[in-house]
Amino acid sequence: MDAQDTFDLTTGRGLMACPRCDAMHVEAELNSGETLRCIRCGGVLAKPRGGAFSQLIALAFTSMVLMMGAIFFPFLEISRMGIGNATSLFGVAMAFADGVLLPLVLAVMAMIVGLPVLRSFLLVYTLTPLAQGRAPYRHAATAFRWSEELRPWSMAEIFVIGTAVALVKVAGLATVHLGPAFWAFCALILVNLASRGFMCQTTIWDAIEDGSLPTDGREMAGGVARGE
Amino acid sequence: MGARWPAGSRAVSDDAPGAPVLTAHRAGLVGCRSCGRVWPDGQETCNRCGADLVPPDRRGLQKVWAWWFAGLIMYVPANLFPMMRTQTFAGLQGNTEATILQGVVELIHYGNYDIAIIVFVASIIVPIAKFLSIAWLAVVAGQPATVDQAHTRLKIYEVVEFIGRWSMIDVFVVAILSALVQLGFVASIHPGPAAVSFALSVAFTMLSAQSFDPRLIWRGLPLRSRTDDKGQE
């Protein structure tokens, strides 16, 4: 068999299992722009994009800058009968700060600010050396795994929809003005969407494993389920 | 092999149609759910990404059920206690407490039907549908199924995983309103105890969905059932 030396059924070298259905695939090289789907469940296994690492780093930096703006500029302002109140994101989280609701402050803060920033940081840490074709930093694998595990818990886009609902609810009570932080948050969502389009976990894992090999835009995993 | 597969390719040149799919489990290996790397059975952590390696096993469902019940328990006070307390004119004009359902009714009352639908779907339909879907998936996991059924189950799992976080909308709404509407004498809004239990309920069901191993969906499949499944021998 021509592929005899490219994978090993006893150690698992050169093989990849679909995380959704466990079907095994032989690793193969993909061209930029190709999408590899699992032969069994049809889930995307890899979709390498040329220059994706640099794009992801740029987008991660963009989202950090926007998040800084989103934290410190006023988020929403309301006024009624001459009494006004402006709130920043910290103000939103601090709404729960009295008594038993304190843990919720930390959770809300983490979900809308902490985790997005942390994920951007972890991504930059993982990808910077890889984009330059150098060996990854220490613990890059752990950093990237955490970044992926925290993905469902960073909820910036949900927060923006929540803002829309809150605006409608408060509209009858007082006049509302949107602050710069609100628009920063909207931009943040677009940045996250763009980042998701470039993200291919398999490519990044392979790049981390291969160390200094320049694999940007290329893909080492792919292939087919096989019998013995 | 070394071939380059074209985009979206399923078929591979040298394989006979109808051949069984070889899974990592069947080959005596274990696949990493975090990065996809395959390791010999019995290894406990993935050497590439450091994640714990778990074979597809029904024992993992205990964790799903544990988080599921925790979420269900927190969902009860989330619906019984008020989500927020609105005070207008220092309580002279009104001092209302609204549960999730009352909040929706209030929105309908003021004619905000679109927003009422968003809140109703995000805080009532989605959580209930999620409880039912996860329970159903956990019950049928590992039972024999056809390929079509397996695809349906996987689709449901993906929808549950995707949509679960969106229930947090109501918690954020309460947070924004209570931070914003602090106009002293004129009007003020304070969060109620249901905000915490609802947030916990959403978090627990998210953990429950994450604990579910989608590979179990495929465990009960007959091996030769799909013509475009490719493999060898």
Side-chain angles (χ1 to χ4, degrees):
Chain A
M1 190 188 314
D2 59 339
Q4 201 62 55
D5 55 346
T6 61
F7 68 93
D8 186 342
L9 269 175
T10 52
T11 62
R13 186 179 55 81
L15 291 167
M16 180 189 180
C18 172
R20 309 233 137 190
C21 71
D22 213 27
M24 268 209 297
H25 298 71
V26 177
E27 292 195 348
E29 206 150 315
L30 284 189
N31 286 326
S32 169
E34 288 180 337
T35 301
L36 179 87
R37 289 179 177 277
C38 172
I39 55 153
R40 194 187 205 187
C41 69
V44 174
L45 289 177
K47 45 163 187 150
R49 298 287 180 264
F53 289 1
S54 321
Q55 300 273 13
L56 283 171
I57 293 169
L59 289 168
F61 269 116
T62 314
S63 94
M64 278 196 247
V65 170
L66 284 171
M67 192 55 93
M68 287 304 131
I71 293 172
F72 294 111
F73 282 108
F75 186 60
L76 297 167
E77 276 176 70
I78 67 165
S79 55
R80 184 184 181 189
M81 297 169 69
I83 307 175
N85 182 34
T87 185
S88 63
L89 274 185
F90 274 115
V92 172
M94 285 308 168
F96 290 122
D98 44 346
V100 285
L101 299 172
L102 190 66
L104 197 58
V105 178
L106 301 174
V108 167
M109 233 22 220
M111 286 189 289
I112 59 184
V113 177
L115 293 183
V117 169
L118 180 66
R119 285 198 59 222
S120 302
F121 176 78
L122 290 174
L123 207 58
V124 169
Y125 180 84
T126 311
L127 292 181
T128 306
L130 297 179
Q132 295 164 351
R134 290 190 281 114
Y137 294 133
R138 287 182 62 197
H139 306 303
T142 316
F144 185 59
R145 184 163 55 89
W146 273 100
S147 162
E148 284 306 300
E149 273 174 18
L150 292 175
R151 179 192 291 277
W153 301 98
S154 88
M155 299 189 177
E157 70 271 30
I158 297 166
F159 182 72
V160 171
I161 305 289
T163 313
V165 176
L167 287 181
V168 173
K169 280 202 172 185
V170 88
L173 204 62
T175 331
V176 187
H177 304 282
L178 298 171
F182 177 78
W183 300 112
F185 243 94
C186 292
L188 207 63
I189 289 169
L190 297 178
V191 171
N192 284 347
L193 280 177
S195 169
R196 190 164 298 190
F198 283 109
M199 176 66 91
C200 170
Q201 286 87 350
T202 318
T203 317
I204 295 175
W205 281 125
D206 275 310
I208 291 173
E209 188 178 37
D210 295 343
S212 56
L213 290 176
T215 51
D216 190 4
R218 283 295 195 81
E219 173 50 43
M220 297 301 290
V224 54
R226 309 174 59 101
E228 284 73 29
Chain B
M1 197 97 325
R4 294 164 186 274
W5 316 120
S9 163
R10 280 160 175 264
V12 170
S13 54
D14 57 359
D15 295 321
V21 172
L22 181 69
T23 65
H25 185 73
R26 190 166 297 275
L29 299 162
V30 57
C32 174
R33 277 192 70 196
S34 164
C35 71
R37 191 82 158 74
V38 180
W39 300 100
D41 214 355
Q43 185 162 338
E44 285 182 351
T45 49
C46 174
N47 286 349
R48 173 156 76 170
C49 68
D52 290 339
L53 293 173
V54 191
D57 195 320
R58 279 183 66 89
R59 271 176 298 180
L61 292 175
Q62 290 177 357
K63 213 168 148 190
V64 177
W65 284 115
W67 286 120
W68 189 87
F69 277 111
L72 192 66
I73 288 166
M74 290 322 281
Y75 192 62
V76 175
N79 279 283
L80 294 180
F81 286 109
M83 219 40 191
M84 58 185 185
R85 212 171 65 241
T86 315
Q87 207 171 41
T88 21
F89 293 102
L92 294 173
Q93 204 184 63
N95 196 351
T96 52
E97 291 191 331
T99 60
I100 294 173
L101 203 56
Q102 284 164 347
V104 176
V105 172
E106 201 177 321
L107 281 168
I108 294 173
H109 181 72
Y110 287 115
N112 297 316
Y113 296 107
D114 37 359
I115 297 292
I117 289 168
I118 292 182
V119 176
F120 184 70
V121 170
S123 341
I124 293 167
I125 306 252
V126 168
I128 291 175
K130 233 171 88 164
F131 282 122
L132 295 177
S133 315
I134 297 174
W136 180 72
L137 282 172
V139 167
V140 299
Q143 288 177 11
T146 64
V147 172
D148 282 342
Q149 284 172 328
H151 276 276
T152 314
R153 288 174 194 176
L154 186 68
K155 186 58 81 192
I156 289 173
Y157 169 74
E158 281 171 351
V159 169
V160 165
E161 215 187 17
F162 170 80
I163 219 155
R165 341 160 37 228
W166 287 90
S167 303
M168 277 292 184
I169 283 185
D170 230 28
V171 177
F172 290 144
V173 169
V174 174
I176 294 164
L177 287 179
S178 344
L180 193 60
V181 187
Q182 293 297 339
L183 301 176
F185 167 76
V186 179
S188 62
I189 290 179
H190 300 281
V196 180
S197 33
F198 190 73
L200 283 176
S201 170
V202 174
F204 289 159
T205 40
M206 279 174 71
L207 287 167
S208 172
Q210 284 173 16
S211 317
F212 182 77
D213 187 344
R215 295 176 302 182
L216 284 173
I217 292 172
W218 307 86
R219 278 293 301 277
L221 280 190
L223 276 168
R224 282 169 199 273
S225 46
R226 189 159 153 205
T227 47
D228 62 350
D229 279 345
K230 305 297 179 195
Q232 267 184 297
E233 278 139 52

